[in-house]
Amino acid sequence: MRCPSAAPPFRAFRSSAVTGRSCDRPRGVRDGTPEVEDGVSRSWASVSSRSYWASPAKRIVSIVTADEIARRIVAEAVAPACAAGCAVRSASWRRELGGEVDVLFDLASVTKPFTAVAVARAGIAPDTPLGALLREACGTASETATVECLLAHRAGLEAHRPLYAPLLRNESVDMAAALHEAADARRSDAQGDVPPDGFAPLYSDLGYILVGAALARAVGARGAGEAIGELVLRPLGIAAAAGTVRDLKERGIDGPYAPTEDVEWRGGLICGAVHDENAWALTGLGGSGHSGLFATAEAVLTFGQAVLDSLDGLESALGKVDLHWLVRERPGGSLRAGFDGKSPAESSAGSRMAIASFGHLGFVGTSLWIDPENHTIVTLLTNRVRYGRNHFAIRAARPWAHDALWERAREISACHP
């Protein structure tokens, strides 16, 4: 597995001033590497989205390319590797990419939207009880929980269980026992039968581990990752730029991968393997429903475009599939099914995307946001955990980066109506 070689850090750049809209600015040249998460670095705080986008005039002179955004992520020590991109639809889709555009990034929880779309494409009814698809769930608290409740984080499950714990004792993980434990991990505040609309939402990887396993069983795949590959990635023509490490390797693709964290019990630097411990323990290189996909920024944009086209009733490589039940707003919070909605205030999506926007974040430093009102998609892929999982500068960087990518998309749209 090939990992990108380290490159000297870039000096912080300054956006070049423009007096009007530049329609012929070159796409950023791939150059350099990048990667950070909850503490706010002073350099990022000084150009927070609130001050950076203070006035329309300031926005115009500050518009930067996707490549400049990716370079800044690296220069500000947010992450050692970064790829950024935006896409906008008017008469047709137009996009711009920058940074490490050829690198495969661990998508982490940005895998979840792919899982949800794969479930929809598999024709699994939203009201299907988990026990009808996954025998390990029978007799557990989640036996009657519907696929929709699980995808919408409303099945009453705990947020997390260390299902990988046997590996720390040099023991193997029993897949059936792990799935049974996940299905029975009901919260103390969510007792009894699952209500029709589910319990109060609580973000949970466990629900996606279960749905991913159920999806694989339903379509006869080796795992969730392979099912996503057949149902989503291949139809979109991105199977050579997105997938699990196992599937990519079987297609003759061996990176380059953005390395993530240095984890002693896993043998050191993780590169070409999923960062999430539960995904690693349960499916190895094969991918789980909650984490396990790797992709380039271009592949993530292609996925986002197909989702928005399908929702808008336009022709899409996903075919005629109903995705509206995935993105509809639900009571109790912003969590949807496979996606999260934009929070009314201080959203990681930034200040520019419409309140109807939806997307997802990944723990390693990845993100995808879709603005259905402005037909705009942005993605930011980093490996911020390369600096340690407690390195949180990306939380301050994301709003600025997403705003800047949104503005760049609007500039492209204005130049190519």
Side-chain angles (χ1 to χ4, degrees):
M1 60 194 72
R2 295 185 292 121
C3 298
S5 59
F10 291 105
R11 289 180 298 175
F13 66 84
R14 294 182 182 275
S15 304
S16 56
V18 293
T19 55
R21 295 194 175 273
S22 173
C23 299
D24 300 309
R25 299 172 75 178
R27 287 178 56 176
V29 179
R30 179 182 179 273
D31 185 18
T33 46
E35 186 184 304
V36 170
E37 220 168 292
D38 208 89
V40 178
S41 70
R42 292 177 181 173
S43 54
W44 277 106
S46 66
V47 287
S48 66
S49 58
R50 182 174 298 176
S51 62
Y52 189 82
W53 303 106
S55 68
K58 195 167 190 176
R59 289 202 300 271
I60 291 174
V61 301
S62 300
I63 290 174
V64 293
T65 66
D67 195 62
E68 289 172 320
I69 293 163
R71 286 169 180 257
R72 180 163 191 163
I73 292 291
V74 179
E76 297 283 352
V78 177
C82 179
C86 59
V88 61
R89 189 186 70 207
S90 49
S92 61
W93 281 105
R94 295 184 182 276
R95 63 173 65 165
E96 180 175 274
L97 299 163
E100 295 292 330
V101 297
D102 298 326
V103 171
L104 292 158
F105 286 83
D106 183 339
L107 295 185
S109 285
V110 177
T111 296
K112 290 181 173 74
F114 288 82
T115 298
V117 171
V119 167
R121 288 215 73 224
I124 298 174
D127 61 355
T128 303
L130 181 63
L133 300 171
L134 197 66
R135 62 179 180 275
E136 291 87 347
C138 293
T140 71
S142 299
E143 180 176 6
T144 61
T146 66
V147 167
E148 182 171 6
C149 279
L150 289 159
L151 290 178
H153 304 279
R154 286 167 167 81
L157 291 174
E158 297 172 5
H160 176 74
R161 282 283 181 94
L163 304 176
Y164 63 89
L167 297 182
L168 300 177
R169 304 188 295 268
N170 293 317
E171 300 172 1
S172 61
V173 173
D174 184 316
M175 182 68 160
L179 292 175
H180 188 279
E181 179 182 348
D184 218 22
R186 181 68 73 79
R187 306 194 313 263
S188 60
D189 65 326
Q191 297 300 315
D193 295 335
V194 181
D197 292 328
F199 293 105
L202 178 71
Y203 185 86
S204 173
D205 278 350
L206 301 181
Y208 277 77
I209 290 172
L210 295 166
V211 171
L215 169 66
R217 301 273 178 87
V219 300
R222 288 177 292 178
E226 184 174 82
I228 294 168
E230 293 301 316
L231 290 163
V232 179
L233 307 182
R234 284 187 182 276
L236 295 182
I238 58 174
T244 66
V245 173
R246 181 181 66 194
D247 289 345
L248 289 165
K249 189 179 292 289
E250 290 175 354
R251 299 183 194 111
I253 300 162
D254 196 21
Y257 294 99
T260 53
E261 192 178 8
D262 196 327
V263 181
E264 184 177 357
W265 72 268
R266 289 183 58 180
L269 183 64
I270 299 171
C271 184
V274 64
H275 176 265
D276 183 89
E277 294 92 347
N278 277 343
W280 170 248
L282 297 175
T283 53
L285 301 179
S288 296
H290 70 299
S291 183
L293 291 186
F294 289 72
T296 65
E298 185 169 24
V300 175
L301 286 180
T302 298
F303 170 75
Q305 291 172 205
V307 168
L308 191 52
D309 282 346
S310 291
L311 289 170
D312 288 344
L314 302 176
E315 185 176 349
S316 163
L318 293 176
K320 293 185 177 181
V321 57
D322 179 20
L323 301 182
H324 289 89
W325 66 276
L326 297 180
V327 301
R328 72 174 178 84
E329 295 184 25
R330 292 170 167 80
S334 63
L335 290 169
R336 305 184 186 186
F339 299 88
D340 192 7
K342 181 182 176 182
S343 301
E346 299 184 352
S347 170
S348 70
S351 62
R352 308 301 293 153
M353 303 194 83
I355 192 62
S357 299
F358 53 90
H360 216 289
L361 306 180
F363 180 75
V364 300
T366 53
S367 57
L368 164 68
W369 283 98
I370 300 172
D371 181 342
E373 293 185 6
N374 295 291
H375 312 127
T376 299
I377 300 164
V378 303
T379 186
L380 186 71
L381 304 183
T382 82
N383 60 339
R384 67 98 192 167
V385 293
R386 180 67 188 89
Y387 292 152
R389 65 181 62 197
N390 294 321
H391 187 46
F392 291 123
I394 196 158
R395 294 188 181 176
R398 273 175 172 146
W400 174 87
H402 294 149
D403 277 350
L405 287 166
W406 189 95
E407 288 281 357
R408 180 58 175 148
R410 303 316 303 164
E411 181 184 49
I412 293 170
S413 178
C415 294
H416 303 282

